[in-house]
Structures are given as structure tokens and as C-alpha cells.
């Protein structure tokens, strides 16, 4: 949705990713048909920057995939902070776990395999930063579950909220994911407890700040 030349220029003027992130990105592009699910270089650097600005103590990621976005977010953790990442796919969970193990954040990432809607209620920590990048029909449910666990001033980032522009034409694209994402965007905008901005980065990033309980 963004001019390709402008996007390429923006990426060329962006700080480099780490060696392990480059490895994950290249291997994913070479070996997986679902490579478009990876956050990618430009979005990854944005996630890292948000995290470094916040210096979170506890990060929750919903949707691990290959571990790329988790490692980007982990770059901003405070000294004794940790990142909890959840995924329901055993295959990619095994791959991401190997990358985590050889990263500098190996002892600070808690990867859990299972249904996020069942795991989130068991998390006792106060959350500073949440990244939602999982099954689209449950975005609103994930938001409702994590919101009470977040500190005031905490940030939720939701990926793919533009859904390749399909949210603009709900009559034409009336599948479950498109309907759910459009409803999620409207839900966030109407929620007086938060402030938000929808960034037209890649497939759309909704940045949500908790203003009050």
C-alpha cells in the first residue's frame, strides 16, 4: 500500500538489525510459504524502537511465529525485564525456541505453547507492553483479557489491522477476519479508557495507550 521506492528509501535510512534477526528473516523468506507472517525488517525496527522508548519490565507477545518480533521487542527490556511469548503452533514454536536459545535474551524470554485465551488469565505480572499478532477473530478478546493486567501508560500494539486494505470494503471482503479487524478498530476508537493511533506501516499497526483503568 506504500510506494515501493519510498519504502525502500526509508528502509535504507534505518538502523541495521542484529545478526540473528537477519538470519531468521532470510531463512524464513527462503524456506516458508507463510513468510508474509514475519514482521520483517522495517516493522521490526519500529517495534524495537517502541520498546526502547518504553523500557518495559514485562512484555507479552501473542503470536510468536518464528521469533523475529519477540527478539525485536526484547531489545528494549529493562535490565531485569522479561518477555512472555505465546503460540499455538508446535512447528514454529520449536523453531523460534532454537533462535531464542542462542540469542542474548535466552534467559529473559519465556515462550509458552498453547491457547493464548487460556494462558493469559494465568499471567500474574503487570504488563507494560503487549504485541498482538495472532488469529484475527480473537483480537478483541485478547484486548479484553490483557487490558486489566496493564499498567496505566502501558502500550498495546496490534498488527495487521488494515488487512491489505480489506477493512475499507466490508461488503466485498466479508470474511471472518476482515469483519473482526474492522470491529476491533472501531472498538478501540470508541474506548474512552485508551488513546490510539493507527499507523499505515506495512499492514497496519494500531498503537493503543492505556490512559485509565
Amino acid at each position: 500500500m506504500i510506494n515501493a521506492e519510498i519504502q525502500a528509501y526509508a528502509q535504507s535510512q534505518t538502523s541495521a538489525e542484529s545478526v540473528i534477526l537477519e538470519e531468521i528473516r532470510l531463512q524464513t523468506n527462503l524456506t516458508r510459504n507463510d513468510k508474509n507472517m514475519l514482521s520483517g525488517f522495517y516493522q521490526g525496527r519500529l517495534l524495537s524502537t517502541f520498546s526502547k522508548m518504553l523500557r518495559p519490565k514485562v512484555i507479552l507477545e501473542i503470536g510468536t511465529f518464528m521469533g523475529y518480533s519477540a527478539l525485536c521487542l526484547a531489545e528494549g527490556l529493562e535490565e531485569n525485564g522479561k518477555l512472555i511469548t505465546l503460540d499455538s503452533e508446535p512447528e514454529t514454536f520449536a523453531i523460534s525456541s532454537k533462535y531464542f536459545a542462542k540469542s542474548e535474551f535466552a534467559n529473559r524470554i519465556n515462550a509458552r505453547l498453547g491457547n493464548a485465551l487460556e494462558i493469559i488469565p494465568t499471567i500474574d505480572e503487570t504488563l507494560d507492553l503487549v504485541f498482538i499478532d495472532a488469529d484475527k477473530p480473537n483480537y478483541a478478546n485478547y484486548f479484553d483479557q490483557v487490558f486489566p493486567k496493564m499498567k496505566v501508560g502501558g502500550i498495546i500494539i496490534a498488527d495487521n489491522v488494515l488487512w491489505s486494505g480489506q477493512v475499507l470494503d466490508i461488503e466485498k471482503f466479508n470474511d471472518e477476519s476482515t469483519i473482526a479487524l474492522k470491529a476491533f478498530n472501531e472498538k478501540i476508537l470508541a474506548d474512552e479508557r485508551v488513546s490510539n493511533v493507527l499507523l499505515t506501516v506495512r499492514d497496519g499497526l494500531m498503537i493503543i495507550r492505556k490512559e485509565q483503568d
Side-chain angles (χ1 to χ4, degrees), residues 83-159:
L83 182 146
I84 303 167
T85 182
L86 314 178
D87 206 274
S88 61
E89 296 296 330
E91 180 189 2
T92 52
F93 182 82
I95 296 171
S96 62
S97 295
K98 291 179 181 178
Y99 284 122
F100 295 154
K102 66 178 185 177
S103 78
E104 62 181 297
F105 305 108
N107 296 325
R108 303 168 71 184
I109 294 179
N110 180 354
R112 305 184 190 181
L113 178 64
N115 185 326
L117 292 175
E118 296 176 358
I119 297 173
I120 294 170
T122 70
I123 297 173
D124 295 328
E125 291 92 342
T126 298
L127 305 175
D128 303 296
L129 176 60
V130 174
F131 182 48
I132 304 175
D133 187 15
D135 54 312
K136 312 313 169 190
N138 273 315
Y139 268 36
N141 293 327
Y142 295 139
F143 173 82
D144 290 340
Q145 283 195 340
V146 302
F147 188 85
K149 298 178 181 293
M150 299 201 67
K151 72 172 187 179
V152 172
I155 298 291
I156 300 171
I157 303 174
D159 196 11

Side-chain angles (χ1 to χ4, degrees), residues 4 9 16-17 21 27 31 37 39 41 79 87 93 103 120 140 151 164 182 191 195 203 213:
Y9 177 76
E17 64 194 348
L21 286 173
Q27 285 299 311
T31 63
M37 290 176 58
S39 286
F41 169 75
E79 186 175 353
D87 206 274
F93 182 82
S103 78
I120 294 170
K151 72 172 187 179
S164 300
K182 182 175 175 60
D191 194 326
S195 58
D203 198 24
D213 287 316

